[in-house]
Structure formats: C-alpha cells, structure tokens
Amino acid sequence: MIAEAGLAALWLAAALALLQLVLAGLGLWMGRGARSTNNVRPELVEGRPSASTGVSLDGSGSPSTSSGQTDGSERAATAAQLIAGVRPVAIVQGLLAALSFVLLILLFIRSDMSVVLVAQNSHSAKPLMYKIAGAWGNHEGSMLLWVTVLAIAGGAIAIIERRLNEATLVATMAAQAAIALGFYAFLLIASNPFARLNPAASEGAGLNPLLQDPGLAFHPPTLYFGYVGLSVAFSFAVGALVMRDVGPAFARAMRPWVLGAWIFLTIGITAGSYWAYYELGWGGWWFWDPVENASLMPWLAATALLHSVTVLATRDGLRSWTIMLAVVAFSMSMIGTFLVRSGILTSVHAFAVDPSRGSFILALLILYIGGALVLFGWRIGSVKQGSTFELVSREGGLIFNNLLLSVILGIVLIGTLYPIVAQAMGTQLSVGPPFFNKTTAPIALLLMLGMAVGPMIRWRRDEGKELIGRMAAPIAVALAGLVAVFVIAPDTAILPLLGLGFAFGLAVASVAPLWKRNLRRTPLFTYGMVVAHLGVAVSVAGMASEAAFTQEKLVAVRVGQVTQVGPYSVVLEGIKPAVGPNWSALEGRLRVQRGDAAPFIMGPQSRFFSAPPTVTSEAAIETVFDGQLYTVLGQPDGEGRWQLRLWWKPFVTLIWLGGMLIGLGGLLSLIGRVVRERRIPNRMAAA
C-alpha cells in the first residue's frame, strides 16, 4: 500500500497545483475586472481583503443602488476570496509532494522489489545510505525529487513572503503552479515512480557502483535545490511582468531565492567536481563533460543574475536585464534537465535513454521558456527605465562582468549542443577540453580583472584616475606573483602563469573593500562578497597550479620495487584481499615517503561489485598542506608486475577550498541580506 499511497499523494498534489493555478488566475482576472468598474480601492482588487471594502455604502451598510458599483464590489469580493485560497493550497500541495517522496524513500529502505523502480535501481545488500540515495539516483526518483523541491518552495513562498505586492505574489505563485503542473504530468504520464512489478523480483539489479559514494549521494539534491531556486526566480520574473511590477521591491523579494539557488549550485558543483576527481580521475577541476556543463550553465547565468538583481534592489537599475537573466537562468536549468534525461548524451551522470521522455521535457522547455520570452517581448515595453549611471561606475562594472559571464555561457552552450546538432545532421564529432579551455580561459581572465575592479568602483559614477590609484596594490601584487612564478618555474605555460598572477591580484583586491573600515560595523553581506571573491581567487590558483605543476607516472612494478613521483618515493609492498558491505577488492599496500619524513601506507583498491557486475578503481589519496598524492592500482600484466598510476598535484586542494569559500560567501550574504531586510520594516514600524 505504500506505493499506492505515494501515487495517490502525487495525484492529489497535482490536482492542488491545478487548483492553485485556477484560483490565482481567476482571482487576478476578476480583480482586474472589478478595478475596471472604477468603484473599488486598489488594495481590494490586489487581493487584500479589508474591513472597509471601498464600496459605496449607504447608511445601512448595504451596497449602493448603482449597478456598476454593486457588480464591482461583488467581483472584488469574489476575487479576494479566490486569492485568499492560493496560499493554503500551495502549502498543502508542498506537503503532499513531500509525503509522496518520503514514501518512495521508504520503499527503497524496505527493498520492496514489487516496485519497478526499486527492483531496477536497488539491492537488498546495499548499505542504508545508498538505499536512500537510490531513491533519487535514477530518472523517475530524481524527477520526483525535482517536483517535490519545487512544491515545497511554492509552499515556502506562501508562508514566508509578505513584502511583495499581493497581486504580484499571486501571479508568481500561479507561475510556480504552472511549472509544477508540467512536471506532475510528466511523472504521472511518462515516468511513474510507483509503478508495480508483477510478479515481484526476487532481488534488485543494484545501483551503479560509481554512484555509491557519499559525494554523489548528496550531489544531486544540492543541485536540484539550485535548479528549483532558479525556477522561483523565474516565477517572480513572470509575476512581475504580468502585473507590471518590476522594481526594487520585486528585486528584494527575489534576491534571497537567487542567492539560495546560487549557494546550492555552488556546493553541488564543488561536490560533484571532487567526486569526479577522486572517483573518475577527471583531473581536478573541470573535464568539460556535457553533463558537467549542464550544471555549469545555470551557475553562470545565476551568477550574472545575482549581481544584476542586487543592482535593481539597491540602485533601481538594470530592470529589463534582470528579468531577462531570470528567464535565461531557468532556461539553462531546463536545458540541463533535458540533456541529462533525454538520452542524447552518454555519461555516468545521465539518467535516462528514453527519447520519448526526452521529448516530453523538450515540450515543457519550449512551453515555459517560449511562453516567458513571448511575455517578455509583450510586456517589456511597459517596464520603466530605472536609475541611470555613468559608464565608469560599479553598475557599469557589473554589466561588464555580466556580459563576460554571458559570453562564457554562450560558448559552453554552443560547445555542448553542437555535437548533438551535428549528429542529428549525420556528422559525428566531439567538442572537448582543448576547445573549451582555449575559448573560455582568456575571457575568464578578463572576468577576474572585472571582479578585482568592480568592488573598488563607486556607485553611479567614478573617476578613472582615482580608480587606478585604488588598484595600485592589487596590480603590484599580481605582477610580483607573475615574476615569482616565472623565476621559480620558467617552463610554466602562459595560461596557468597568467592564472596564478591574476589570482594573486584578485586575492588582494577581494579584501580591499575592508580597508579603512570599522570591521564591527561592516555589514555581513559585505563580508560575504569579500569571502566569495576571495574564494574565486583561491580556486583559480588551484586550477592554475594543477595545470602547471602536476606530475604523472604510469608504471608496472613488482613487489618491493621503488618508483618516484614528485617529492615522493613509492614502494609496492604487496597485494591483499579486502571485503566491504557489497563488494570485494584487491588492495595494494604502498609504502610512501617524502624526504626524511616518516613513511606512511596507502591502499588503492580494485573493487568488484556483483550487482550489477562492475569493476571499479578506488584511488588512495594523501592530502598534505601543499597538494595531494593520488594513487590508483591497475591490473597485473601477467609477468608478476602490477600497474600503478601516480600523480603529484601541488595545491590542487585549493580548487575545492575556493569552492567552499564561494559558497560560504554566498551564505554570509544571504544571512546579511535577510537580517537587513527584516530590520528595515521594523525601523519603519517603530518610526
């Protein structure tokens, strides 16, 4: 009955999403009709029921005899009642979707092999954590998680949001319900996660062993929180366009959702990067895998949107640009969803190979994004121009950075989709790291330059000479760093060399906003900006170091034989068997020593999983202050030797340390903004 209860909860949630859309749509339509009679006050038609209805009353309190006034008051009252129902319906919808997902997890925990999804993606011998993760480690479950987060976000908007104009909020929740409806339909029609298997399987097929990892267990949920956060921003943009309410208040309401989405995307991408590094050996920072790109594109768009919405919220600028970026950011989320689930990509991340289901998502993508673009084109003329500013200003710097982010986004999008389009036209080709590195790296360096300059420019207008004076210290540090690296490692390639120099300069420029300030009175969101920008500098330094200084050795050694990689000497002391909860392995015993320091033991494994039958390599990694030693055990060569792959990666850990700092900076900014937004109304009320 658990599966049936989960399916019933899903159907009810879908019905409530439809009801939410209908209530909101009818309420707004009737409210506008009531307003057209010109006999009611705006707050009523905007869904704010009041003891004073604003209707012309005679002394007895009955409606006036004017038929126009009576019709208007009745329509307004009906509109208010309809709109009042939107919030509770959204909350219950979120609870039902969450219940449905919890029931799916319970099916996986119980290893209920009468459910198709469990039988195809789980196994009774799997550890509990991976049974739970199995609920979203597949196509149907991940889509249920997607719509669950979407519905919970809608419920959270209904509970939390009180600052936005009521009509704009209702239009926003209507857009959110429309998005949810499409995904409910997708699940119920094409991808039912609760479908039964008759007769039930005696045992499950298991989960891809590469996905049985703590990093990947938590990687998809964090990304989904990010994707869905962007859907909320999209809904806010649609609501603002529908009600012609694009302004600072709308931006302040949307900003926490954009920040939250951006934080989750940052954490998810960082975790996914580290998983791909230690599980797949993908170099450390970016492999330009199409599915990796599918998560990078929304992050790039969200980064641009985050800066743009801040300008709109605080300086009333970039109104149209902010709306467009909200549409683009969610479009990238939808494109990523389509790429991962359409079956047109081959990757360990991809979830489905069913073109019909991919067509369903493609139809949703066209419907939502096409509709939003039509709405944008229709209403953009009504969006008033915001405050103006000079070219040399912080607003101008943010536009410069936004344009560079958009260019990188365009390159990644074209490079990811071009092979697919070419294949559809009968040509097989691939676009790999050489293309992406050569095209994006120079623009990324310019972007770092903009990041360094941006926080030092004044709002509205600034003087170029004064700005150059403020940039003297970062420029000097960058040049000193370039010279130092060139002297120490003269063979360093030009891009890593420039990357290290720019990283040094950006690190100094990042903390510059704190100079000569009272640190106790500095807003928390300023610290957030500083930490996030510093994180970018740290991460770029790690990427450049990995590209410039990594040493690799592939050898075949006998037991007792010594080999050298970087500053380490490595001895294979033996091979022994090992056993885990659902795997067996051969484990190499490596004795490693650096100079005169005490030796230590590393144990890379070659694991065998029986369900499904798969052999994986589990790297052994030693992390020290200046890098990582990465070891992989290969196969025997039949002559008593074992293959070993060894890497020495100086400062590679800076990549993920920087990612964590970026996420931490976002979190500080979010807390700072929320606290500030709460204090302002309190001060106004006190006054």
Side-chain angles (χ1 to χ4, degrees):
M1 293 299 292
I2 295 176
E4 286 72 21
L7 186 59
L10 193 59
W11 272 105
L12 285 173
L16 288 180
L18 179 60
L19 178 61
Q20 180 181 330
L21 179 61
V22 171
L23 288 176
L26 279 177
L28 291 173
W29 177 71
M30 295 191 72
R32 292 174 65 85
R35 186 163 51 188
S36 69
T37 63
N38 198 29
N39 63 348
V40 292
R41 295 202 311 225
E43 67 266 27
L44 184 60
V45 298
E46 289 176 355
R48 294 174 178 167
S50 169
S52 172
T53 62
V55 179
S56 298
L57 301 175
D58 58 25
S60 64
S62 60
S64 79
T65 54
S66 167
S67 60
Q69 291 175 335
T70 302
D71 290 345
S73 63
E74 289 177 351
R75 288 177 66 92
T78 304
Q81 291 171 355
L82 291 171
I83 286 173
V86 173
R87 286 182 188 263
V89 168
I91 295 169
V92 176
Q93 184 213 148
L95 292 174
L96 284 170
L99 173 64
S100 179
F101 188 66
V102 168
L103 292 174
L104 180 67
I105 292 176
L106 186 58
L107 289 171
F108 272 85
I109 292 175
R110 293 165 59 97
S111 295
D112 187 344
M113 300 303 169
S114 69
V115 176
V116 175
L117 194 64
V118 179
Q120 291 178 344
N121 298 280
S122 190
H123 192 281
S124 59
K126 277 202 313 185
L128 177 61
M129 181 173 71
Y130 301 128
K131 284 185 179 179
I132 296 173
W136 57 77
N138 55 78
H139 171 77
E140 290 83 355
S142 67
M143 292 307 295
L144 180 56
L145 174 60
W146 214 106
V147 78
T148 298
V149 178
L150 187 73
I152 291 175
I157 295 172
I159 294 171
I160 297 171
E161 186 53 55
R162 291 291 185 274
R163 299 161 299 177
L164 202 59
N165 176 291
E166 187 75 3
T168 306
L169 176 63
V170 171
T172 298
M173 295 181 67
Q176 192 76 358
I179 297 172
L181 262 179
F183 284 94
Y184 283 129
F186 177 66
L187 281 168
L188 295 170
I189 296 172
S191 298
N192 177 12
F194 298 102
R196 286 288 189 184
L197 182 64
N198 190 14
S202 57
E203 189 50 272
L207 178 67
N208 183 346
L210 292 176
L211 305 182
Q212 296 183 37
D213 180 87
L216 210 63
F218 298 105
H219 169 61
T222 51
L223 281 183
Y224 290 172
F225 279 111
Y227 288 161
V228 176
L230 294 180
S231 81
V232 176
F234 173 83
S235 297
F236 269 97
V238 170
L241 276 177
V242 169
M243 302 311 299
R244 295 183 172 89
D245 187 26
V246 181
F250 142 76
R252 283 194 291 272
M254 184 172 79
R255 182 167 52 188
W257 294 96
V258 178
L259 251 175
W262 184 80
I263 292 168
F264 278 113
L265 282 175
T266 302
I267 295 172
I269 289 174
T270 302
S273 165
Y274 193 58
W275 169 80
Y277 167 74
Y278 69 75
E279 190 69 25
L280 304 177
W282 280 8
W285 54 288
W286 210 254
F287 199 71
W288 300 110
D289 174 78
V291 179
E292 278 189 324
N293 294 347
S295 66
L296 177 63
M297 291 186 289
W299 185 86
L300 290 169
T303 305
L305 174 61
L306 181 60
H307 291 85
S308 179
V309 77
T310 297
V311 174
L312 178 54
T314 59
R315 301 290 163 175
D316 193 18
L318 307 181
R319 291 186 173 192
S320 302
W321 182 243
T322 301
I323 293 290
M324 175 54 82
L325 281 177
V327 174
V328 169
F330 182 58
S331 303
M332 294 302 106
S333 294
M334 289 292 295
I335 288 174
T337 304
F338 168 69
L339 290 175
V340 175
R341 287 167 177 78
S342 61
I344 62 176
L345 294 179
T346 301
S347 170
V348 294
H349 303 71
F351 278 123
V353 292
D354 186 348
S356 64
R357 295 193 288 194
S359 301
F360 202 122
I361 295 178
L362 183 61
L364 291 179
L365 190 155
I366 294 172
L367 176 66
Y368 294 141
I369 306 307
L373 290 177
V374 169
L375 178 64
F376 181 82
W378 179 30
R379 287 292 177 87
I380 195 60
S382 66
V383 177
K384 297 178 181 177
Q385 183 182 5
S387 301
T388 58
F389 50 85
E390 300 290 332
L391 181 62
V392 181
S393 63
R394 187 173 295 186
E395 291 93 331
L398 288 171
I399 289 180
F400 176 71
N401 271 22
N402 271 1
L403 290 175
L404 292 176
L405 283 166
S406 300
V407 171
I408 295 175
L409 171 60
I411 292 172
V412 177
L413 180 64
I414 292 171
T416 304
L417 295 183
Y418 183 58
I420 299 170
V421 175
Q423 185 178 11
M425 299 177 69
T427 303
Q428 293 284 346
L429 56 85
S430 63
V431 178
F435 165 79
F436 289 108
N437 289 337
K438 289 180 181 177
T439 52
T440 61
I443 302 172
L445 292 176
L446 280 178
L447 186 63
M448 292 179 66
L449 180 62
M451 287 178 60
V453 175
M456 295 192 181
I457 315 179
R458 294 192 177 96
W459 293 104
R460 305 294 187 208
R461 64 186 300 274
D462 205 342
E463 298 296 332
K465 291 182 179 178
E466 295 180 11
L467 177 61
I468 292 173
R470 285 179 229 129
M471 288 296 298
I475 291 173
V477 171
L479 291 175
L482 277 173
V483 172
V485 174
F486 183 75
V487 170
I488 296 171
D491 295 332
T492 304
I494 184 65
L495 280 178
L497 180 65
L498 290 174
L500 285 167
F502 275 59
F504 294 144
L506 178 58
V508 174
S510 298
V511 299
L514 299 180
W515 293 349
K516 300 180 182 178
R517 295 188 68 154
N518 184 336
L519 297 183
R520 290 186 176 181
R521 301 180 68 86
T522 300
L524 190 58
F525 53 78
T526 301
Y527 283 106
M529 178 191 68
V530 168
V531 172
H533 284 196
L534 183 61
V536 173
V538 171
S539 193
V540 170
M543 295 174 190
S545 296
E546 197 275 341
F549 308 129
T550 291
Q551 297 181 41
E552 178 183 5
K553 179 169 281 189
L554 176 60
V555 293
V557 296
R558 302 180 190 279
V559 173
Q561 190 173 343
V562 182
T563 188
Q564 191 80 24
V565 59
Y568 291 95
S569 61
V570 180
V571 181
L572 176 62
E573 291 194 331
I575 303 291
K576 65 178 183 179
V579 178
N582 62 338
W583 51 263
S584 59
L586 289 175
E587 180 177 302
R589 179 181 170 84
L590 303 179
R591 184 166 60 84
V592 182
Q593 188 166 18
R594 182 174 183 172
D596 297 329
F600 55 92
I601 301 298
M602 299 180 69
Q605 295 177 341
S606 177
R607 289 185 183 175
F608 174 73
F609 292 80
S610 58
T614 309
V615 176
T616 66
S617 293
E618 298 297 320
I621 301 173
E622 179 71 12
T623 302
V624 292
F625 76 98
D626 60 343
Q628 285 189 331
L629 178 63
Y630 188 113
T631 63
V632 175
L633 177 67
Q635 299 298 313
D637 66 356
E639 298 179 2
R641 299 181 299 183
W642 289 82
Q643 293 179 347
L644 285 180
R645 187 179 289 273
L646 309 171
W647 282 276
W648 165 236
K649 293 175 173 289
F651 302 107
V652 69
T653 48
L654 295 181
I655 296 173
W656 307 292
L657 174 62
M660 289 189 288
L661 286 175
I662 296 170
L664 175 62
L667 181 61
L668 293 176
S669 294
L670 178 60
I671 295 172
R673 293 292 182 189
V674 170
V675 170
R676 187 184 181 89
E677 292 292 328
R678 287 183 178 275
R679 283 178 178 172
I680 290 175
N682 291 339
R683 288 175 183 169
M684 293 177 65

